[in-house]
Amino acid sequence: MIKSIEEADIKEGTRVLVRVDWNLPINENGEVADASRIEATLETIEYIKNKSGVPVIMSHFGREGESIEPVINFAKNNYEILKEGVEFLENLRQNPGEEENSEDFAHELAKNGEIYINEAFSVSHREHASIVSLPKLLPSFVGFNFLNEIANLSEAFNPEHPFLFILGGAKFETKFPLVNKFLNIADNIFIGGANAILVSKMDLVENPKIILPVGQLDALDANTETLALISEKINESKFILWNGPLGNYENGFVAGTVALARMIAESSAKVLVGGGDTLAMLSDDGIKEEILSHGFISTAGGAMLDFLANGTLPGIEALS
Ligand code: ADP
Ligand code: MG
């Protein structure tokens, strides 16, 4: 059974290690493009502070072992609650023990606190030290956002049909096993973004549920014909799961994804949306609010897809 942070014995001065996912998207000017992942953790941090505990925040950041300091400075400058009485650890992935799931590294981390809270749903599909080994060493619980993710995503275990899965983005190697699983539950799977070209060369392409973009498959954005095809499928669907932008948005190819977001927001289907890059594309407009009126926006990408496919995650199993 998953235990909520509300069951944790937090007293004055109790040091509470909080694993968060503050691996925020950074734009070409080096600025934070979307702070949703910080905001999702504030309720848990505030709860600990209200109990007079000391939150000790830990996250990974980036791919090159860079320092997480710019993110911490951004967080302190923008959120009052983080200015004082909160401690921060350095980028977890600076230590190879994190990704290698080293017991020694987990023991090292455990020295920083007395209680462990997992508030990093979006990383809980990874068998990393701070996700699966550390919780075995301390009394362990999940935070409010983690609980909220589980409650909302679990609604998808009995989806209404037709169920349309829209998969954009990149890293198809990591998403391929999930597509295989979703072939059993979804009625249509549209595969766009940088993945389309790879899929076109696989046996998968023969499956009648698989839909690919119209025209050039290595295009940097979805074209009008492709958007019309997706729109048709959206209109006939009652449940839509969307992960991954349709274009190379960092370089300005945003139109297709913005159009898709609008179509999803305006549809009457129950919708689930997730993904770090996907969320970065939703940060303007009232689109987010419109989606929330008939759906859920997850802070997770890969973890959301894994949870939906398997009904659990390594980070959840580690707590039981
Ligand atoms: P998420 O973080 O939402 O799960 P991904 O990480 O899978 O999404 O994918 C985001 C990446 O996919 C971005 O770097 C984006 O540039 C790339 N991408 C999406 N569509 C295309 C495309 N048509 N051509 C090239 N790159 C694309
Ligand atoms: Mg991404």
Side-chain angles (χ1 to χ4, degrees):
M1 244 340 256
I2 296 175
K3 281 192 273 175
S4 155
I5 183 173
E6 289 177 300
E7 296 171 56
D9 186 19
I10 303 170
K11 299 193 197 77
E12 184 162 4
T14 304
R15 295 172 59 83
V16 185
L17 270 166
V18 189
R19 178 37 158 125
V20 298
D21 178 3
W22 284 7
N23 185 24
L24 308 183
I26 305 293
N27 70 17
E28 65 276 12
N29 304 320
E31 297 153 352
V32 169
D34 178 31
S36 323
R37 286 181 170 185
I38 292 182
E39 282 158 24
T41 62
L42 295 178
E43 188 183 355
T44 285
I45 295 168
E46 188 165 17
Y47 177 87
I48 295 164
K49 288 188 80 180
N50 285 342
K51 297 248 166 201
S52 305
V54 182
V56 182
I57 308 296
M58 55 178 172
S59 179
H60 67 287
F61 177 63
R63 289 172 196 278
E64 320 288 336
E66 50 266 62
S67 173
I68 196 171
E69 217 178 290
V71 173
I72 292 167
N73 290 336
F74 171 89
K76 284 186 182 168
N77 289 335
N78 288 279
Y79 303 97
E80 198 58 41
I81 183 105
L82 301 172
K83 287 204 164 87
E84 276 172 26
V86 182
E87 292 179 23
F88 300 91
L89 301 188
E90 186 44 282
N91 178 5
L92 291 168
R93 290 191 192 162
Q94 275 189 353
N95 189 318
E98 168 66 355
E99 289 178 88
E100 287 163 9
N101 190 17
S102 134
E103 291 280 323
D104 288 347
F105 184 51
H107 274 97
E108 217 174 284
L109 289 173
K111 288 180 192 154
N112 293 292
E114 300 147 59
I115 285 176
Y116 170 88
I117 306 290
N118 187 336
E119 189 57 302
F121 181 84
S122 50
V123 200
S124 293
H125 59 317
R126 305 258 184 241
E127 295 194 9
H128 291 174
S130 67
I131 299 291
V132 298
S133 290
L134 179 57
K136 299 195 171 118
L137 305 175
L138 296 171
S140 297
F141 307 85
V142 299
F144 295 109
N145 183 65
F146 199 116
L147 287 168
N148 195 36
E149 290 276 356
I150 290 180
N152 279 284
L153 295 179
S154 297
E155 282 182 36
F157 293 140
N158 294 300
E160 276 200 72
H161 292 273
F163 169 8
L164 169 65
F165 177 20
I166 300 170
L167 181 67
K171 301 178 288 193
F172 190 68
E173 320 78 66
T174 64
K175 292 174 179 178
F176 175 60
L178 300 163
V179 169
N180 260 337
K181 282 190 177 147
F182 278 107
L183 280 171
N184 297 323
I185 32 176
D187 300 288
N188 292 294
I189 304 183
F190 173 83
I191 301 177
N195 298 323
I197 187 83
L198 290 170
V199 172
S200 70
K201 295 172 183 148
M202 301 167 74
D203 292 343
L204 189 64
V205 73
E206 308 292 338
N207 193 301
K209 289 184 176 182
I210 298 287
I211 304 165
L212 290 179
V214 185
Q216 226 183 305
L217 294 177
D218 58 354
L220 291 171
D221 200 0
N223 61 26
T224 322
E225 293 79 12
T226 300
L227 291 169
L229 173 64
I230 302 175
S231 167
E232 197 183 299
K233 293 293 170 195
I234 285 178
N235 289 337
E236 59 192 42
S237 298
K238 290 219 168 77
F239 187 89
I240 301 167
L241 169 63
W242 172 33
N243 167 249
L246 299 182
N248 179 223
Y249 74 95
E250 302 95 319
N251 295 312
F253 296 91
V254 296
T257 309
V258 170
L260 170 63
R262 199 158 286 138
M263 289 191 277
I264 287 182
E266 286 167 6
S267 82
S268 53
K270 159 93 191 179
V271 300
L272 290 181
V273 179
D277 292 281
T278 309
L279 257 62
M281 296 251 25
L282 294 180
S283 50
D284 335 322
D285 309 322
I287 284 189
K288 232 173 175 171
E289 282 79 301
E290 216 171 320
I291 290 176
L292 289 173
S293 72
H294 55 103
F296 176 66
I297 301 177
S298 173
T299 52
M304 170 181 82
L305 298 177
D306 275 4
F307 181 77
L308 293 176
N310 302 322
T312 187
L313 293 173
I316 294 175
E317 294 305 301
L319 297 163
S320 358

